[in-house]
Amino acid sequence: MESEPLILENEFDMCSAEEEDNLNASGVDLGQQCSSSDLEPYEGMEFESEQAARIFYNSYARRVGFGTRVSAYRRSRRDNSISTRQLVCSKEGFNPRPDNGAQHKPKRQRIVSRVGCKAHLTVKKLTSGKWAITKFIKDHNHELVPPDQVHLIRSHRHVSGPARSLIDTLQAAGLGATGVMSVLIKQSGGLNNVGFTKVDCQNYMNQSRQRTLGSAAHYIFEYLKQKQSEDPDFFYAVQDGSSGNIFWADSTSRKNYSYFGDTVTFDTTYRTHRYRVPFAPFIGVNHHCQPVLFGCALLLNESESSFIWLFDNWLAAMSGCHPISITSDHDRIIRSAILDVFPGARHRFCKSNIFREAQERLSHSLQSFPTFEAEFQKCVNLTETIAEFELCWGSLLGRYNLIDDEWLQSMYDARQQWVPVYLRDTFFGDTSIAKTSDSTSSFFDGYIDASTNIHILMSQYEKAIASRHEKEVKAEYDTINIAPILKTPSPMEKQAANIYTREIFLMFQQELMETLAYPATVINDAGSDVIFQVVKFGEDHKVHYVQYNVVEKKASCSCQLFDFSGILCRHILAVFRVKNVLRLLSHYVLKRWTRKAKSEVLLDEDKLGLPSSHNDSFTDRFEKLSLEATNYVKEGVDSKSVYLVALDALCEASKKVAAAMCGTPAQPLSQDMNKEKEFNLNGNQTDCDDPSLLSEDEKIKELTTAVVYATETCEAYRAKLLSILREMEEQKLRISLKVQSMRVHRIT
């Protein structure tokens, strides 16, 4: 038979599960020589078809421990049909070398999978129509895979017909890939007997989902087209025709993003809650701490390129504005896509999903050690410093003998993307760092679940939108019409009640109330930055440090609550109380938490009751003058000569102040020291023509005295309160000791 030269074609795996199933179903006998489980190929061995030869060689490769590929072929010159086929070891040839002149490097390094192995088998079509082996090379130049690992080789991972039927049944019942694999492993007697991995199972389920949703795709497209015709700002995109992913965002979602787009959650709840439809919304949090929608997607394909496509289109719909932070499921593909599209955003893994995954991965340990889960969550949620977390994590794994656990090690390696103590320097919109859950309550809770199919999805979507809108309207009404109850005489509390929404104010008020039990002590007063130590009464082991700049009136706390949530912490507020900072400054009020969050204009400091940026409030003037006077006195008493110079300057300053109060320009101070008697240190000018000057001076002195008296009174009340708290703690301790003593007495 005349044949063309051997041609290298696009290499592919030996055969698919469908081909093998079809072959077996057709009743084709592979030959008696192929039925022996320990039979090796040999030259001259015949097969009924090329497909039968490929199946036989793949079965042999699985038994021996290597993978296979279909490599080259030769066509007949007579009828152009394939007359010769070469089947090779999967490690045949070499990986292509990277092009050193290429401008763009690959996103990630590919593993070296080919080592030039010469093992192969060549089959040729005979005139009888059968296929025979014409060449067989057995030896490999690499180690073979042991039997317990051979199921991981690509050419041996096939979802067979019976497995597909079972997967379809379990998927229809609402099970995800993890649950399906658990059933298959139990039924097969082990993972290595299943014949494929979880990734293969997930891929098949995605394909099955595409086939299931394909018939209803036209309904979705018609809905999106109608919405776009009604709303010119409605945005939607479809990937690769009707079989790809779908994304859409209405005008309200896009507008909401312009107000609250600093932090975003990509919600893939359908993966863990066994939804029938792969519905994934983009969610944020509004100024009432309610979930707000930024767009929706139907994920029929979960490849990395598909997620990149989705994020690119979502970003385009949001006018290209990148978020500060983004929260998603703990998934390698999603992580890679976010890094590609949002390189500057801080990416956080959903802590709730990790805790849920821990229940699956550590099920054996949880059964053996019932207290482990609570201690694990406490280690993650309640540690306040990196050093404390590291110590707690190591101690926890050591006590429960889990140091060598691979999953826990992988979670530790990724700790900077899910453990709160590593994320406090970035805004995530969470109003508490120590929350047990960091997942935003889903926008569609109660509307889309495991029973929702594609035909009712859009109607449920619209019902959820209407319900959330009504809840936001109600929150707006409550904020405007229901005045919160003030619990202190603090001007700052009253100011916050007028600025913040009701929900945010209640959180701020709680922090403000807690300051009563948090005394602030100066530990470093060098320069304009003062370091305070803030400790809750009775909890000396939990210390927080606040750095306060007395000039700029800016403070930062080691707890970093303001950086994380945008609400001032009790530690900074305690320092403000000590420094007589009575009102919130503009840089401590995030617009996104205020009543004006959806206003197109910037915050108006006067209308919001914020101190002006020009520092013209009485409190600002008083604090700055007090600070300058204190520093002046400290420096002026170092020596007698410095004291005389300081006194001279103070007299001149007093003259200028008195002249300003009289409305006349100040006269230069005479060099004759005797003329200093014309002024006293209180700034009273004896020869002032204005008869009202003396009364004005007296008023200032009276006000200053009143402020000092009020400060002393507040300090006295605070000392008394602390004394009462100490007595309560001591009384509590005495009662506790008495109860323990009674218990011991009762036992004995």
Side-chain angles (χ1 to χ4, degrees):
M1 179 182 297
E2 296 180 353
S3 300
E4 295 181 347
L6 200 64
I7 300 173
L8 290 174
E9 66 175 350
N10 293 331
E11 297 167 336
F12 52 90
D13 290 338
M14 290 295 294
C15 60
S16 65
E18 290 83 353
E19 290 176 334
E20 189 170 348
D21 292 340
N22 292 338
L23 188 65
N24 294 334
S26 65
V28 176
D29 186 8
L30 300 181
Q32 187 175 356
Q33 73 275 23
C34 301
S35 63
S36 176
S37 61
D38 59 352
L39 188 65
E40 286 189 354
Y42 58 86
E43 294 185 8
M45 178 183 288
E46 294 186 356
F47 303 92
E48 292 296 325
S49 65
E50 176 203 348
Q51 189 180 29
R54 286 160 54 186
I55 293 174
F56 171 76
Y57 188 57
N58 201 48
S59 300
Y60 163 75
R62 180 183 178 89
R63 188 169 69 250
V64 173
F66 67 94
T68 60
R69 292 199 321 273
V70 176
S71 178
Y73 66 93
R74 181 179 287 123
R75 291 187 177 275
S76 169
R77 293 181 178 176
R78 187 178 350 183
D79 56 7
N80 202 35
S81 63
I82 294 177
S83 60
T84 303
R85 177 74 75 181
Q86 188 178 76
L87 315 176
V88 301
C89 171
S90 59
K91 293 185 178 291
E92 179 268 345
F94 297 93
N95 290 84
R97 295 181 179 179
D99 184 4
N100 295 331
Q103 295 180 352
H104 302 287
K105 294 182 179 180
K107 293 179 183 178
R108 61 175 183 268
Q109 289 290 98
R110 299 291 182 179
I111 60 173
V112 177
S113 59
R114 303 189 186 186
V115 295
C117 182
K118 299 295 184 182
H120 71 275
L121 178 147
T122 303
V123 292
K124 185 176 181 180
K125 189 174 183 179
L126 305 177
T127 55
S128 62
K130 293 186 177 183
W131 290 71
I133 298 176
T134 58
K135 188 175 183 180
F136 171 59
I137 296 181
K138 174 182 178 182
D139 297 330
H140 299 261
N141 67 346
H142 55 87
E143 292 186 8
L144 299 176
V145 178
D148 63 335
Q149 300 175 15
V150 73
H151 66 282
L152 299 175
I153 299 176
R154 180 178 176 182
S155 61
H156 304 315
R157 287 159 37 193
H158 294 309
V159 184
S160 63
R164 292 198 299 274
S165 299
L166 181 57
I167 291 173
D168 290 340
T169 302
L170 296 175
Q171 186 178 16
L175 265 67
T178 301
V180 171
M181 284 300 295
S182 298
V183 174
L184 291 170
I185 291 170
K186 185 175 182 180
Q187 185 186 63
S188 304
L191 179 61
N192 56 335
N193 296 326
V194 174
F196 50 88
T197 64
K198 180 182 175 180
V199 174
D200 301 317
C201 179
Q202 184 67 66
N203 290 338
Y204 174 78
M205 292 175 71
N206 289 342
Q207 295 169 4
S208 177
R209 187 184 293 127
Q210 289 181 9
R211 291 190 295 269
T212 303
L213 299 181
S215 59
H218 71 281
Y219 171 76
I220 299 292
F221 297 148
E222 290 301 321
Y223 174 86
L224 298 179
K225 289 178 181 178
Q226 179 184 350
K227 283 295 180 182
Q228 193 174 59
S229 64
E230 298 172 354
D231 179 4
D233 290 330
F234 188 93
F235 180 102
Y236 81 92
V238 182
Q239 183 185 20
D240 299 331
S242 60
S243 61
N245 296 327
I246 305 171
F247 166 73
W248 70 93
D250 60 23
S251 57
T252 303
S253 296
R254 300 174 73 181
K255 181 66 74 174
N256 281 336
Y257 184 78
S258 67
Y259 304 135
F260 312 111
D262 41 17
T263 184
V264 179
T265 296
F266 180 52
D267 184 7
T268 51
T269 304
Y270 73 89
R271 289 177 157 189
T272 53
H273 288 61
R274 303 171 183 176
Y275 288 0
R276 294 177 65 183
V277 291
F279 183 70
F282 292 86
I283 299 174
V285 57
N286 68 8
H287 51 325
H288 300 290
C289 285
Q290 298 171 333
V292 60
L293 191 63
F294 295 150
C296 301
L298 279 173
L299 297 176
L300 308 184
N301 187 332
E302 294 188 14
S303 65
E304 181 178 339
S305 60
S306 292
F307 280 114
I308 290 176
W309 172 90
L310 174 61
F311 295 150
D312 279 337
N313 278 275
W314 177 80
L315 191 60
M318 303 302 140
S319 303
C321 296
H322 288 244
I324 295 173
S325 59
I326 184 168
T327 303
S328 76
D329 193 6
H330 172 229
D331 181 274
R332 180 189 61 81
I333 295 178
I334 295 178
R335 177 183 181 181
S336 180
I338 287 177
L339 184 63
D340 186 281
V341 182
F342 309 107
R346 188 73 180 273
H347 182 202
R348 177 179 68 168
F349 298 147
C350 181
K351 188 173 54 178
S352 303
N353 289 350
I354 291 178
F355 285 157
R356 188 182 300 109
E357 189 176 354
Q359 293 176 342
E360 299 178 4
R361 300 274 189 166
L362 306 174
S363 57
H364 178 72
S365 298
L366 294 178
Q367 292 176 359
S368 304
F369 308 106
T371 60
F372 172 78
E373 184 175 10
E375 290 194 45
F376 176 66
Q377 294 195 15
K378 183 179 178 180
C379 174
V380 172
N381 289 322
L382 301 184
T383 48
E384 297 188 355
T385 65
I386 292 176
E388 184 184 356
F389 169 77
E390 298 281 352
L391 184 63
C392 181
W393 182 275
S395 173
L396 181 68
L397 268 58
R399 289 201 314 274
Y400 290 99
N401 196 27
L402 293 170
I403 295 177
D404 297 327
D405 185 89
E406 292 184 4
W407 183 79
L408 283 173
Q409 182 58 47
S410 68
M411 289 295 96
Y412 176 78
D413 293 340
R415 61 193 181 282
Q416 293 184 350
Q417 290 187 276
W418 68 280
V419 178
V421 74
Y422 292 94
L423 298 162
R424 291 178 175 177
D425 60 344
T426 305
F427 181 80
F428 280 95
D430 289 350
T431 50
S432 172
I433 293 177
K435 282 201 315 185
T436 10
S437 169
D438 56 6
S439 60
T440 305
S441 102
S442 178
F443 189 91
F444 295 95
D445 280 351
Y447 293 91
I448 296 177
D449 52 31
S451 65
T452 305
N453 59 41
I454 195 68
H455 294 285
I456 65 173
L457 172 64
M458 304 318 294
S459 62
Q460 293 299 100
Y461 161 82
E462 291 192 343
K463 289 179 181 178
I465 294 244
S467 174
R468 289 295 179 185
H469 175 71
E470 184 60 32
K471 289 180 179 178
E472 182 175 344
V473 170
K474 178 65 165 58
E476 287 283 349
Y477 176 85
D478 290 346
T479 294
I480 296 172
N481 295 284
I482 303 178
I485 299 174
L486 302 183
K487 299 181 179 180
T488 73
S490 167
M492 187 180 293
E493 183 185 17
K494 183 177 181 181
Q495 176 196 15
N498 294 327
I499 296 174
Y500 290 128
T501 60
R502 182 178 177 83
E503 189 70 24
I504 297 300
F505 168 73
L506 294 176
M507 298 174 189
F508 173 84
Q509 186 183 56
Q510 180 63 32
E511 294 295 319
L512 187 64
M513 291 293 296
E514 289 291 336
T515 62
L516 296 175
Y518 282 82
T521 307
V522 176
I523 61 174
N524 189 338
D525 192 9
S528 59
D529 288 329
V530 183
I531 308 297
F532 288 85
Q533 176 180 285
V534 185
V535 186
K536 185 177 183 180
F537 178 77
E539 295 184 1
D540 295 342
H541 60 289
K542 291 185 178 181
V543 182
H544 290 89
Y545 298 95
V546 176
Q547 178 175 323
Y548 177 71
N549 187 289
V550 294
V551 177
E552 299 180 355
K553 294 187 179 178
K554 290 186 177 180
S556 60
C557 180
S558 57
C559 78
Q560 297 181 300
L561 177 65
F562 182 76
D563 299 325
F564 188 77
S565 67
I567 299 175
L568 281 174
C569 64
R570 58 198 65 178
H571 316 112
I572 291 179
L573 292 173
V575 170
F576 283 175
R577 186 189 67 240
V578 172
K579 299 300 295 182
N580 291 324
V581 178
L582 304 179
R583 301 179 72 80
L584 285 172
L585 303 174
S586 58
H587 47 264
Y588 288 121
V589 179
L590 296 190
K591 183 181 177 184
R592 62 129 41 246
W593 291 138
T594 69
R595 301 180 178 202
K596 304 291 184 180
K598 290 190 173 185
S599 171
E600 299 293 341
V601 298
L602 297 176
L603 288 175
D604 188 324
E605 293 177 338
D606 294 329
K607 290 183 179 179
L608 291 179
L610 295 173
S612 171
S613 58
H614 301 292
N615 296 318
D616 57 0
S617 70
F618 175 82
T619 305
D620 287 331
R621 299 194 300 271
F622 179 82
E623 288 183 0
K624 282 200 171 183
L625 284 176
S626 299
L627 176 64
E628 292 297 327
T630 302
N631 292 336
Y632 186 80
V633 171
K634 288 180 180 178
E635 296 174 357
V637 296
D638 285 346
S639 66
K640 187 174 182 179
S641 60
V642 174
Y643 165 75
L644 292 175
V645 173
L647 190 61
D648 181 48
L650 186 59
C651 288
E652 185 175 357
S654 299
K655 179 180 178 182
K656 291 181 178 180
V657 171
M661 295 179 64
C662 292
T664 59
Q667 300 294 326
L669 185 65
S670 172
Q671 297 298 323
D672 186 354
M673 296 299 293
N674 292 330
K675 293 187 178 180
E676 293 176 2
K677 297 179 182 178
E678 296 178 2
F679 298 89
N680 60 38
L681 293 180
N682 292 326
N684 294 327
Q685 188 175 3
T686 58
D687 57 351
C688 182
D689 296 330
D690 189 350
S692 64
L693 175 59
L694 186 60
S695 61
E696 293 290 340
D697 261 349
E698 288 177 351
K699 287 181 180 179
I700 291 176
K701 289 169 61 178
E702 289 176 1
L703 288 173
T704 303
T705 303
V707 169
V708 173
Y709 176 76
T711 302
E712 292 174 350
T713 304
C714 288
E715 288 299 319
Y717 277 125
R718 188 169 69 85
K720 187 174 181 179
L721 178 60
L722 290 177
S723 176
I724 294 173
L725 289 173
R726 287 194 193 94
E727 291 178 3
M728 291 175 63
E729 289 292 331
E730 291 172 359
Q731 181 70 12
K732 184 178 177 182
L733 179 61
R734 286 196 293 269
I735 294 173
S736 177
L737 292 174
K738 187 174 181 180
V739 170
Q740 291 181 5
S741 176
M742 293 175 63
R743 288 177 177 172
V744 172
H745 178 73
R746 186 177 298 172
I747 292 174
T748 56

